[in-house]
Amino acid sequence: MKAVVMAGGFGTRIQPLTNSIPKPMLPIMNRPMMEHTIMSLKALGITDFIVLLYFKPDVIKEYFKDGSQWGINITYVLPDDDYGTAGAVKKAQEFIGKENFIIISGDLVTDFDFQKIFDYHNSKKSKLTITLTSVDNPLEFGVVIANKEGKIEKFLEKPSWGEVFSDTINTGIYIIEPEILDYIPNNENFDFAKDLFPLLMRKGIDLMAGYAQGYWRDVGNPESYRDVYEDLLSGKIKLNLGGEAVKYIDGVLICEEDNTLDESVEVIGIVVIGKNVTVKKGTKLNNVVIGDNVTIGSSSKICNTVIWNDVVIGRNAKLDGCVICNNTHIGKNVTAKSGLILAEGCELGELVMVEKDVTIWPDKVIEDASIVSRSVILGSKYKNSIFENGMVIGKANVEISCEMATKLAEAFGAQLPVGSTVLVSRDNSKSSRMLKRAFLGGLLSSGMNVLDYNAVSSPVMRCSLSSHEEYGAGVHVNQKLDDPTSVVITFYNEEALRINTEVAKKVEKAFFKETFRRVDYSRIGQIYNSDHQKEYKEYQKGMEDLLKSHMFKCLDCRVAVDMMHGMASEVFPTILNDLGVDHIMFNAHPDERRLENINTLTKSTNDDMSAVIKALNLDAGFMIYPHGQRLEMMCDKGILLSKQSALYAVLTLLNMEAENLGVKKRVFLPTWAADLVTFNHLEIEYGQYANFKSEKMKSYDLVTTGEGNYAFTEFSTHRDSMYATLKILEMIVNHHVKLSEIMETMPRFYYHSFQVSCKQSQKGKMMRMFLEDAKDKESSTLDGVKIWLDKHDWILMIPDQYNDHLNLYIQAKNQIAGEKIHQIYTRKIEEWMAS
């Protein structure tokens, strides 16, 4: 048998540890982690290794050479492009031969019994066996379910929490028969999980699940790298460390030759030392791994720390829970609290204090007596990833600095052809203005032309973007509504939809690797400014062409509209006036101070509008949230409609319109929306809204999250509270109904959402337990786990993507039934978490 070692990854998420070395070469107990894997397989008799390279291949080849030093034979395969996991293995087909082989990643740490995995594969006469294990956090892996016979029934590659249906994941360790390679196309980007496995299942080839017991960790980010050391030093996993073991009173020293340790050095726990290391008088080492050519000054205290090669640490240093990379210099009297990652080539001056969880990126100099309380170059939030659903969110001028905004723009611009035009807009906040200006510079340097809208509502910018083919992308910068100290940068594609996960990852990779495209001076982009007049006219005309605008002028209908100090106030009052909508306007002027507390603003808005509606007998009230996307409604009796009531009202109005036209209208709702009420003239599809394209959006008449966001696709494929207001008002007056009358027809049933605290490490387990609970019931894993307990009664559990809690939704025909479901599953969740 031969072994194929995947060693071509970029190591983006584990930056800056992989600044100059590929991830498989990260040291684990002073040996590359890939070496530990190779030695484990060699112990079973495998001596022929095929190593697939891509990123920084020379580092790996220079270290391992032909493998003879380890008593093995290594063949290197370097594809000329990124062909995906399976596509890369296809490139090695000629070296694999006619026997089965094992595929394993070079960037994991494990003590699996590989012989048991081989034996299982042979006993099942399997064509392809996927090794599985259970983990606390399955988000970064492929989640797998197999039946009792071991046949894999379902899997999902790198799911969101809403898609996780088990904590049993694909380890990336495969035993494969050679004929399987014939199903992989040549010179195409082809992935095992996304492409090959579904293809084999469609062909009727059984994929077998080999469950493995023991330790397994994918070293995907700096935190997991530290966790591996914690597990090693606490004895959870044992590796062959080499060297001579010397027992101390409170610990063990495993030491190579040519080292100088003062006799007063105190060793606690496990201490591993490489070659040419000097540790001076009075130093205490507690669970420390030290590489080669390291000097540690006197009276230092080093605890739970990993030190790579060629490092100098001054006297009286105090380091706790740190990773110190190559070629660094730490001055005397330096204190670093738990979580420091000091990248290569850095220098810390004397008396420097580094606070908890700080990352200092490569080649930085920290001056004497500095107090470093946040990461240098990047905020700590961006150690692993930047984007959340096409948005970058962070503390303004802290996590998202001008430097970061410029680099982010350079990374984004590098994904577009030189000469493309990008629309850029912002709200009125000072932080948005500052960061937008920094962002423009990055776009220009990558050869982008910029149409700068300055302060404008995002729906107006998106409308302009979607209606002009010559525009390639859009970016909007705004202050975060519920946190005025934070800013949101939202990226849109040419269809004015948020960029999808694939594009976001490309931008992220360019950002971390700094693979920017800084064009020649003659190709630097230009900025074109707009006074909004053209865009506002196009936006208004689009509405007038669709709406029966004349009806507003001749009907006795008057509404209240609150602009909530948002950017929509620049255009929407004019539109209402020109359409002849009789209205009373609130808060139609910018006020940054009032937007600093959105909860207070919302309460005063609701109170004022309710009083005015009741006093003046108005027909309805509409609250346009500051960014022009979210809409709330108040009925003619001055009662604020809940999210569920507002959704019911809109669907009822749309159903009336469809009936009047003699057609069926299509609606897309999220899986958590209530579905007890049926509408005869609506076709409602429930699902997960993710990475939609314009074509799919346009197949529906309405797309809504049920959170006050409505996209009436006759006008736009994105959320727009201004058009939604006019469309809803048009349907109200066209069908001669009032919102209060619609509310009276709404069936009374139980619908409730709530959150349950849940650590990240238990989310996968909760998904698995819910799925097991659903086995004898009707269920769905389209988004989270949804269990039907009766024809109309169900519970849906979706782990929150970014926070430590579960989102639960319950629908039942009455309050008693709903509260009973709530009690039953609250108790079950408590038991599952405790087990």
Side-chain angles (χ1 to χ4, degrees), residues 8 137 142 165 212 229 315 434 453 628 639 679 762:
N137 184 357
F165 45 77
Y229 273 96
R315 63 178 174 83
M434 174 189 72
Y453 282 175
I639 299 171
F679 298 90
Q762 286 198 306

Side-chain angles (χ1 to χ4, degrees), residues 208-253:
M208 303 306 295
Y211 291 92
Q213 299 293 323
Y215 185 92
W216 178 91
R217 185 180 288 276
D218 172 79
V219 185
N221 55 48
E223 288 73 20
S224 61
Y225 182 74
R226 267 197 295 256
D227 289 344
V228 165
Y229 273 96
E230 183 179 334
D231 295 339
L232 282 163
L233 298 175
S234 64
K236 286 185 179 179
I237 177 176
K238 298 186 183 299
L239 295 178
N240 183 10
L241 305 180
E244 179 184 353
V246 180
K247 290 188 177 180
Y248 280 67
I249 295 175
D250 297 314
V252 175
L253 172 67

Side-chain angles (χ1 to χ4, degrees), residues 49 99 139 171 191 388 709 744 825:
F49 289 82
E99 297 179 16
L139 285 188
T171 64
D191 190 80
E388 298 177 9
N709 301 310
E744 290 172 1
Y825 277 89

